[in-house]
Amino acid sequence: MNHGLYISFWLPTAVLGAALAIKLPSILKLWRDPLLRAVGGLLVFACAVFVFAAPKTIAWTNRVTGVPNIAAPWVYSLLTALSASWLLLIIAWRNGRTERSAQTRRATRWVVSVYAGVVVALWVLFALADVPVERIRDLDTYYANTPYMREEILLYLLAHTVACSVTARLVWNWSRTEGLDAWLRWGLRFLGAGYVTNLVFSAAKLSAVAARWTGHDLDWLNTGIAPSAACIAATLVAIGFIVPHAGQYLQERWRVRRRHRSLKPLSRLVRTVTGAREPFDLRATPELRLIRRETFIRDALLQLARHLDDDLRARSYDAAVALGFERGRAQALAAGVALLDAVEARERSRREPGAPQPGTSQPGTSGPGMPAAPNSPRTEARTASVNPPRTEARTASAAVSPAAVSPAGVSPAAVSEAAVSPAAGSPTASAAPSSSGPDTTYLLREIQAVSRVLRHPLDLQAVRAHVAAPAESMSTHE
């Protein structure tokens, strides 16, 4: 017996088992979903086929039952059930859970009835056949001319070929559909390649059997090409089921970790406001760590609200646009300049209790090297109403607390974006001061963009220098 061939039967079994393990939680949780039931049945039957088709298992089955070659109808039955599960999966995919429900039920009953009839016929034909000599690897060609066994072999191969042909065509058509998720498209391509390779298995078997009928010997197709094609096909099918699930999972984990890392500059900056670090737990999931960092940052930003200078942010936006930055980048740079100014203003106010609030001075007075400028009536009028109540900070903080994550699987990004509603209007409009105090909407909503510009201190310095320049040097944009 070829040991390498024997090992190859267990490789697809391992891959199929991994696919089943990945899908099993969803299958058990949503058992009423016909699509998931079809996937589960397909993977179970595929694993069973390769377990019982291994030469060692065939010999064990024959020995335990005491019936020579009884493993043949058993493996043929499993392969027929696998073929039926392919068609049931396609029916569930095409028709969905609710659309054309009557047609779906009719198609399902037809497939189950036909292939159940094939399984019954396989056992009846085996009972009528005379197959006393045990054949582990070449039973199909050895008994190709034996009455009843000949019909049995032809029956299971035809059932398998029909199912492969229909499934391969429909899967390939679906893989070319517009608007599919990239991971799902690749999964379908692997599935399609697997079903096409299964046709190679059927073609090799049928060719070897037909050669025996005509007095020729092409047994190598049966003992060499067919098993190899089956193993490759099963591996491709398993990968086709794994790729969409694993790909989407890994992509989401990468997105969450990247978002968490991108907030590091802003997190470091606001530590000076809170005097503490964000909560950390080694056992926390990446999603929970992201939400805790976002909550920590937003809480600190709310503490800085009374020190934010909206005039400085509006002026910084105009300066960034004049320097050639595109609209979104200019808005983030303007928010970054205003945030750095607020942090510096807060530090000064802590060192000098009698120092004027940032709302009573023109932009540039808080930064090093920024020239002083006369007060504007708008900023003087705003000074008395800048201090927001502490309950507002607690309310906004609760909007992004870890408890806001729903058990249904809402992504952290969705929670983060939903925590603060988007402000309408242009960047300049959103930078304008509100009637009740500084506008923190953009800062709370776009912490990712603000954190990214903090990685580019030269751009921030350029904007601050442009804001601090004399009025006649400003661009005509102003």
Side-chain angles (χ1 to χ4, degrees):
M1 181 182 298
N2 189 322
H3 185 66
L5 180 63
Y6 166 73
I7 293 297
S8 69
F9 276 91
W10 296 101
L11 175 61
T13 305
V15 181
L16 288 165
L20 180 60
I22 290 174
K23 289 288 187 181
L24 190 58
S26 299
I27 294 170
L28 295 177
K29 184 178 180 181
L30 303 172
W31 178 249
R32 293 181 179 274
D33 188 336
L35 179 59
L36 287 175
R37 287 203 305 269
V39 170
L42 188 154
L43 293 173
V44 167
F45 283 123
C47 289
V49 165
F50 281 92
V51 168
F52 286 98
K56 193 172 183 178
T57 310
I58 290 176
W60 176 86
T61 304
N62 294 335
R63 184 176 66 255
V64 169
T65 58
V67 180
N69 298 314
I70 197 173
W74 174 242
V75 173
Y76 296 163
S77 298
L78 290 174
L79 189 58
T80 302
L82 175 62
S83 301
S85 70
W86 294 340
L87 294 175
L88 293 176
L89 179 63
I90 291 299
I91 292 170
W93 265 345
R94 283 173 61 87
N95 297 344
R97 297 167 60 181
T98 56
E99 297 179 2
R100 302 193 295 273
S101 58
Q103 180 180 349
T104 300
R105 287 195 297 270
R106 284 196 302 271
T108 300
R109 285 196 298 267
W110 186 86
V111 169
V112 171
S113 301
V114 169
Y115 278 80
V118 170
V119 171
V120 172
L122 290 174
W123 286 97
V124 171
L125 290 170
F126 179 78
L128 296 174
D130 182 19
V131 286
V133 180
E134 183 182 54
R135 308 301 299 183
I136 301 298
R137 295 181 55 197
D138 63 345
L139 182 142
D140 290 351
T141 50
Y142 187 86
Y143 289 108
N145 290 311
T146 302
Y148 300 111
M149 197 65 192
R150 174 183 56 229
E151 288 75 13
E152 175 169 1
I153 294 168
L154 184 61
L155 180 60
Y156 96 84
L157 287 175
L158 288 178
H160 179 266
T161 303
V162 169
C164 275
S165 302
V166 173
T167 307
R169 182 175 62 84
L170 295 178
V171 167
W172 277 115
N173 289 341
W174 190 19
S175 69
R176 293 193 292 269
T177 304
E178 296 293 332
L180 286 182
D181 174 77
W183 292 109
L184 176 57
R185 189 183 303 278
W186 275 107
L188 289 171
R189 287 172 178 171
F190 277 107
L191 285 174
Y195 292 127
V196 169
T197 310
N198 262 311
L199 288 175
V200 175
F201 164 84
S202 293
K205 288 272 189 180
L206 286 169
S207 298
V209 170
R212 280 299 186 103
W213 293 344
T214 59
H216 297 84
D217 186 355
L218 292 178
D219 287 9
W220 60 273
L221 291 174
N222 178 43
T223 58
I225 300 300
S228 299
C231 292
I232 294 172
T235 303
L236 290 172
V237 169
I239 293 174
F241 283 110
I242 292 174
V243 162
H245 188 281
Q248 291 169 2
Y249 175 83
L250 293 175
Q251 184 179 28
E252 180 64 16
R253 297 288 78 73
W254 170 251
R255 189 194 63 78
V256 169
R257 292 182 185 277
R258 185 177 59 184
R259 187 177 178 90
H260 184 268
R261 285 196 304 270
S262 68
L263 288 174
K264 192 172 184 178
L266 185 54
S267 177
R268 284 178 174 175
L269 177 64
V270 299
R271 284 177 194 171
T272 60
V273 177
T274 62
R277 293 175 176 267
E278 63 195 78
F280 180 77
D281 184 357
L282 286 173
R283 296 172 297 178
T285 63
E287 292 85 356
L288 183 56
R289 291 180 186 178
L290 173 61
I291 293 173
R292 285 175 173 174
R293 174 164 283 184
E294 290 177 338
T295 303
F296 171 76
I297 290 173
R298 289 194 174 96
D299 285 346
L301 291 177
L302 288 170
Q303 294 180 39
L304 279 174
R306 63 191 301 269
H307 298 282
L308 289 171
D309 191 332
D310 286 333
D311 287 334
L312 174 60
R313 183 147 64 98
R315 222 174 277 266
S316 298
Y317 173 77
D318 292 336
V321 171
L323 289 171
F325 293 102
E326 55 90 16
R327 178 180 178 272
R329 178 76 169 176
Q331 191 174 8
L333 286 168
V337 169
L339 180 59
L340 291 171
D341 179 85
V343 172
E344 294 166 357
R346 183 178 183 277
E347 289 300 315
R348 284 199 310 274
S349 67
R350 294 179 62 184
R351 292 194 300 267
E352 304 173 10
Q357 295 297 322
T360 62
S361 61
Q362 280 293 339
T365 58
S366 60
M370 298 285 187
N375 298 336
S376 67
R378 186 172 62 174
T379 55
E380 289 178 351
R382 195 182 70 244
T383 305
S385 62
V386 165
N387 189 12
R390 294 182 62 85
T391 56
E392 178 185 348
R394 286 194 296 268
T395 303
S397 173
V400 293
S401 66
V405 181
S406 72
V410 179
S411 67
V415 177
S416 305
E417 297 300 328
V420 183
S421 60
S426 66
T428 307
S430 66
S434 64
S435 58
S436 60
D439 184 3
T440 60
T441 302
Y442 180 83
L443 275 176
L444 293 173
R445 189 182 72 243
E446 300 295 341
I447 56 177
Q448 288 285 338
V450 176
S451 186
R452 281 194 294 269
V453 299
L454 292 177
R455 295 181 181 272
H456 302 277
L458 293 180
D459 292 346
L460 292 168
Q461 290 173 13
V463 173
R464 296 181 80 171
H466 203 280
V467 170
E472 58 271 15
S473 66
M474 298 299 286
S475 76
T476 56
H477 177 82
E478 291 187 52

